[in-house]
Amino acid sequence: MNISASGQAESLPPSDDPHGAHGHAADATWKLALGAIGIVFGDIGTSPLYAFRETFAGHHKLDLDTVHIMGVISLMFWSMMIVVTLKYVTVIMRADNKGEGGSLALLALISRSANQKRWTQGIVLLGVFATALFYGDSMITPAVSVLSAVEGIAIAAPGFASLVVPIAVVILVMLFSIQRTGTARVGAFFGPIMMLYFFVIATLGVLSFVRTPEILWALSPTYAVAFFAIDPLAAFLALGSVVLAVTGAEALYADMGHFGRKPIRVSWLWFVLPALILNYMGQGALLMREGASALTSPFYMLAPAGLQLPLVILATMAAIIASQAVISGAFSVTQQAIQLGFVPRLKIEHTSASTAGQIYIPTINWALMIMVILLVLSFKTSSNLTAAYGIAVTGAMLIDNCLLAVVLFGLWNWKKRYALPLLALFFTVDLAYFAANMTKVPDGGWFPLLVGFVVFTLLTTWAKGRKLMIERLRESAMPIKIFIESAAIAAARVPGTAVFMTSTPDGVPHALLHNLKHNKVLHERVILLTVKIADVPYVPDEKRMKIDDLGKGFHRMILFYGFMQEADVPAALKQVSACGAEFRMMDTSFFLARQTLLPSSKPGMMVWREKLFAWMLRNAESAMEFFRLPTNRVVELGSQVEI
């Protein structure tokens, strides 16, 4: 599915570089592994703040006895082994799109290889819905991470318990406010801080379970099985909280493009996984020794009283880092969605001159901030928020299974005797998690589902509306050869270059027709320019453009960009030498068409979706800014379209 900036599917020469523009092979693995610890594992790393506590003290409480404690530890360990280690780190991370991961990158990879098969549309909708669920997750993660960390104040200094929510709100406002300045400098400290955080929680876990060494037996799967055998309903309901231990697993795949497959695997297997399981075992050992008195916050009570406040500070820093990673992820996913034609053009600011991935999208940033603060003020405690947390994560994981099934059979051609047992294991685990979380819909689980459906409606409405609009424009377009033969003779030619931006690489752009109709002239050189976004992350410079000489001073030009790249039309034109003299911006005029939608009786979309699409079209960023066109060289001409 190669998609133009207008949402049009087209073919495109792919890059030969298997790693795109990342160049991970040239970087030291340990440096990238350290960076991955700071960025990738923030979400799953802060799960010990609330996951174990919620399993016993959440909406479906469990008895604090050996069977249940050992059973929960066993479930958490094997969940991390199956869902994170086997599914994401071992299998899914092999399905990279030229080095990039995530639902949209995987969707583009599948669509490119599917060749428009019957099930392609269904897979596209699943991938889009997984993206929609991600936005719900990106709202809940900062709220629950920061709130659960700040709640440690109530343990270390009970007199300040009433300040937990105000402090959390202040931290979140500051976090979203600094996004405009970029995170490059702060990001350099993320790795060391998270290294210290994981070392501390692992040490606290060890100091606890050495006093109750029998907790080590919980690593055996027999305790998870015994939990289900003795108390099946409680074990099933507990899955709704156990899954909190693997939230953030999808981030390993989504952030693969930033760090590479190997550094993420090294970080997870040799550092993050051991630290997490040691801490969970320490919390379990603490509950076995002290019972309900430690259930208020087993994470913070692992530390001696004098060290609880420093632990609160360290955990809050880790929660901020986890939130930062999710916010940055929302920016990256939105950029991909814009380039792939699912989201209208939005203003994108680059916050780093050296790192292309450092971007800031004001609309997304402030929308997230408002929703996150509303969540904190509405739910008030991390315990209430965790009810809303699991559904978005388990829903996305379930969809990833469907996409993985297509990859195993359609792309990798695995034999059924290998693929079916693996998929059966993944579907069984994820369906169980999803079903358990559905029981929490009345308690807050409705929120990510609502966000998911709203975002899904917006994404699909934009994609469908753009497709219909392009079809209508094509229907009324004059063949270019006929136009050139007639216009080149009848119209007067003036010096300079005219670039007509068009979403379709055939037919005459409406802006060109309107310009000739009103101004009665043509420039000496006329460029019909289309920007296409590929289903690969990066397109190399040598494959950037395709130029056809149409005769009589007319040229058809197509610029190709990957979905992780920004389209800079003036910069690309400066590299052109195949269609006459060098491009000079002061001698070049850019003509854009701005469409106005009209009510239509044609079968397209329902009226409410047409109105929604029209609203999105009016509020989309101008193509002038999106393609970095010089503001004093742009002419916009309006046209009316019925969809």
Side-chain angles (χ1 to χ4, degrees):
M1 180 182 58
N2 299 318
I3 307 176
S4 73
S6 60
Q8 178 190 6
E10 294 289 345
S11 60
L12 175 77
S15 169
D16 297 326
D17 180 8
H19 299 291
H22 301 302
H24 293 312
D27 294 313
T29 299
W30 69 268
K31 279 189 176 181
L32 290 167
L34 177 62
I37 290 173
I39 300 296
V40 178
F41 298 102
D43 191 355
I44 197 170
T46 52
S47 294
L49 287 166
Y50 48 82
F52 196 76
R53 179 199 69 206
E54 286 305 305
T55 308
F56 289 91
H59 291 78
H60 305 292
K61 295 178 174 57
L62 294 177
D63 294 332
L64 285 173
D65 54 30
T66 302
V67 171
H68 291 91
I69 293 173
M70 299 283 277
V72 167
I73 294 292
S74 185
L75 282 173
M76 286 184 167
F77 173 71
W78 287 103
S79 295
M80 286 190 281
M81 294 303 296
I82 294 172
V83 175
V84 185
T85 307
L86 179 59
K87 178 182 169 182
Y88 280 97
V89 174
T90 304
V91 180
I92 289 187
M93 282 180 63
R94 293 182 59 219
D96 66 297
N97 189 351
K98 306 295 182 182
E100 289 293 330
S103 296
L104 281 178
L106 181 58
L107 178 61
L109 174 67
I110 291 172
S111 299
R112 184 174 74 240
S113 307
N115 297 321
Q116 302 300 318
K117 294 181 180 178
R118 286 179 300 175
W119 41 261
T120 303
Q121 186 62 31
I123 291 296
V124 169
L125 292 177
L126 277 177
V128 172
F129 191 64
T131 303
L133 287 174
F134 172 81
Y135 284 100
D137 186 23
S138 62
M139 295 172 189
I140 298 173
T141 296
V144 72
S145 298
V146 172
L147 198 52
S148 60
V150 176
E151 283 172 346
I153 294 175
I155 304 299
F160 292 94
S162 60
L163 297 178
V164 167
V165 171
I167 291 174
V169 170
V170 169
I171 290 173
L172 289 166
V173 170
M174 291 176 60
L175 175 63
F176 282 98
S177 297
I178 65 170
Q179 297 303 312
R180 182 183 294 273
T181 62
T183 57
R185 293 181 180 178
V186 182
F189 297 99
F190 283 5
I193 290 173
M194 291 305 295
M195 283 278 287
L196 175 62
Y197 169 78
F198 283 120
F199 176 77
V200 168
I201 67 171
T203 302
L204 292 175
V206 171
L207 293 176
S208 176
F209 82 68
V210 293
R211 297 170 58 188
T212 314
E214 57 267 28
I215 197 72
L216 283 169
W217 291 106
L219 299 185
S220 168
T222 56
Y223 284 91
V225 174
F227 186 12
F228 273 91
I230 295 171
D231 202 347
L233 178 60
F236 169 73
L237 294 175
L239 291 178
S241 297
V242 169
V243 75
L244 297 174
V246 295
T247 55
E250 66 281 3
L252 311 185
Y253 181 48
D255 287 325
M256 182 169 60
H258 297 290
F259 301 99
R261 187 184 306 152
K262 185 177 179 181
I264 290 177
R265 286 177 174 168
V266 169
S267 299
W268 170 252
L269 293 173
W270 295 100
F271 200 82
V272 178
L273 175 62
L276 291 176
I277 196 59
L278 286 173
N279 188 264
Y280 284 125
M281 286 195 297
Q283 291 188 45
L286 179 68
L287 290 185
M288 289 178 70
R289 291 194 306 271
E290 302 187 15
S293 62
L295 194 55
T296 306
S297 181
F299 176 84
Y300 284 113
M301 289 187 174
L302 285 176
L307 296 178
Q308 285 177 349
L309 189 57
L311 182 59
V312 170
I313 296 172
L314 180 61
T316 302
M317 294 173 69
I320 292 172
I321 292 170
S323 303
Q324 176 61 59
V326 172
I327 296 167
S328 300
F331 294 158
S332 297
V333 167
T334 303
Q335 183 188 38
Q336 290 186 38
I338 291 170
Q339 300 287 54
L340 292 173
F342 292 111
V343 172
R345 292 187 297 264
L346 298 174
K347 183 178 182 181
I348 299 176
E349 299 177 7
H350 286 263
T351 59
S352 172
S354 58
T355 307
Q358 293 279 344
I359 60 172
Y360 167 71
I361 305 179
T363 302
I364 299 299
N365 184 68
W366 300 121
L368 281 179
M369 188 190 78
I370 291 170
M371 294 305 299
V372 169
I373 291 175
L374 286 176
L375 281 172
V376 171
L377 296 177
S378 301
F379 286 83
K380 292 184 173 59
T381 68
S382 61
S383 181
N384 293 334
L385 271 168
T386 54
Y389 201 7
I391 289 183
V393 174
T394 53
M397 288 180 176
L398 201 54
I399 293 173
D400 283 345
N401 285 345
C402 299
L403 299 178
L404 177 61
V406 176
V407 170
L408 293 182
F409 291 115
L411 273 65
W412 295 347
N413 298 314
W414 275 31
K415 294 181 180 179
K416 289 184 178 180
R417 64 174 178 269
Y418 300 126
L420 290 178
L422 193 66
L423 289 171
L425 174 63
F426 293 159
F427 271 108
T428 299
V429 172
D430 288 338
L431 277 171
Y433 280 138
F434 185 72
N437 273 280
M438 287 300 289
T439 64
K440 298 191 291 185
V441 168
D443 299 315
W446 54 268
F447 176 79
L449 292 177
L450 176 63
V451 171
F453 281 115
V454 169
V455 175
F456 179 77
T457 300
L458 293 173
L459 298 181
T460 53
T461 297
W462 178 256
K464 177 70 172 176
R466 289 297 294 171
K467 179 181 177 183
L468 289 172
M469 192 165 67
I470 290 170
E471 289 176 355
R472 301 295 182 259
L473 291 173
R474 273 182 168 170
E475 290 172 1
S476 60
M478 178 188 297
I480 187 65
K481 289 185 178 180
I482 296 175
F483 175 82
I484 292 175
E485 291 298 327
S486 59
I489 297 173
R493 306 298 285 259
V494 295
T497 300
V499 177
F500 291 89
M501 304 291 294
T502 173
S503 58
T504 57
D506 43 52
V508 181
H510 280 238
L512 176 53
L513 291 173
H514 285 294
N515 180 58
L516 183 61
K517 176 181 177 181
H518 294 289
N519 297 323
K520 315 294 185 186
V521 296
L522 287 173
H523 287 71
E524 287 179 339
R525 179 169 56 177
V526 178
I527 308 295
L528 310 182
L529 178 61
T530 301
V531 176
K532 292 190 179 299
I533 306 302
D535 51 12
V536 294
Y538 299 92
V539 173
D541 290 341
E542 61 270 18
K543 295 186 177 182
R544 175 73 62 229
M545 64 189 67
K546 177 183 177 184
I547 303 174
D548 292 324
D549 189 346
L550 303 177
K552 301 186 186 304
F554 285 78
H555 302 268
R556 172 80 70 187
M557 183 184 300
I558 302 176
L559 298 180
F560 298 106
Y561 291 91
F563 59 76
M564 294 296 290
Q565 293 174 299
E566 183 174 354
D568 189 335
V569 170
L573 291 178
K574 289 179 181 178
Q575 307 301 318
V576 176
S577 59
C579 57
E582 177 185 355
F583 281 86
R584 297 178 57 200
M585 288 301 104
M586 293 306 296
D587 296 330
T588 303
S589 297
F590 294 87
F591 291 84
L592 308 177
R594 180 173 286 273
Q595 290 84 17
T596 301
L597 298 185
L598 297 177
S600 171
S601 58
K602 296 181 179 180
M605 294 190 296
M606 287 180 281
V607 175
W608 68 268
R609 291 188 75 188
E610 286 189 6
K611 291 181 178 180
L612 176 60
F613 174 68
W615 175 80
M616 296 171 77
L617 186 65
R618 286 195 303 270
N619 289 278
E621 185 186 32
S622 167
M624 177 184 70
E625 296 177 349
F626 190 78
F627 294 122
R628 293 191 169 188
L629 305 180
T631 55
N632 60 343
R633 306 301 304 170
V634 173
V635 179
E636 283 197 353
L637 298 170
S639 62
Q640 296 179 330
V641 183
E642 291 184 348
I643 63 171

